Amino acid sequence: MRANYPKNAGGQNLNAMIQQAQKMQEDMATLQAELEQREYEISAGGGAVTVKINGKKQILALDIQPEIVDPDDIETLSDILVAAVNEAIKRVEDTSAAEMEKVTGSMNIPGMPGMPGLF
């Protein structure tokens, strides 16, 4: 028994999928460049420490309020600095992941909605 398939049906679907993947790749590259240019400002210790970071996870500025500086308690200052930097990095990563999901989650291939984790 021989099945009757429309001519080039598979080829058209494959071409559409390749075009969609290429568009997604272009969109991801554009978004990545935009994300790297973004700047974030994160505070810790009730605003005693503020970290400014970019999308490349490079610290641009670190502002420390004078009242938090206690020569007899460097450990607290160190803890606040670590918390601020870690939160800044987490914010960059979370934002980038959410924005990329908008691009990669939009790929619509019949039978494979979204194809998470493909790219």
Side-chain angles (χ1 to χ4, degrees), residues 27-86:
D27 291 348
M28 288 173 60
T30 301
L31 178 58
Q32 184 63 41
E34 177 192 317
L35 289 169
E36 288 178 356
Q37 296 301 313
R38 288 189 188 178
E39 293 182 1
Y40 306 82
E41 195 168 286
I42 291 83
S43 295
V49 173
T50 303
V51 175
K52 190 171 187 181
I53 188 171
N54 67 16
K56 293 179 184 179
K57 301 179 198 167
Q58 297 169 327
I59 304 298
L60 304 174
L62 185 60
D63 182 44
I64 303 170
Q65 298 299 313
E67 59 271 10
I68 193 76
V69 180
D70 180 355
D72 296 326
D73 189 12
I74 298 298
E75 186 176 338
T76 298
L77 177 58
S78 179
D79 290 345
I80 293 172
L81 289 170
V82 168
V85 170
N86 285 338

Side-chain angles (χ1 to χ4, degrees), residues 92-111:
V92 171
E93 290 174 347
D94 290 350
T95 301
S96 294
E99 292 292 325
M100 282 295 179
E101 177 65 27
K102 291 178 186 176
V103 174
T104 61
S106 66
M107 189 167 182
N108 186 15
I109 298 173

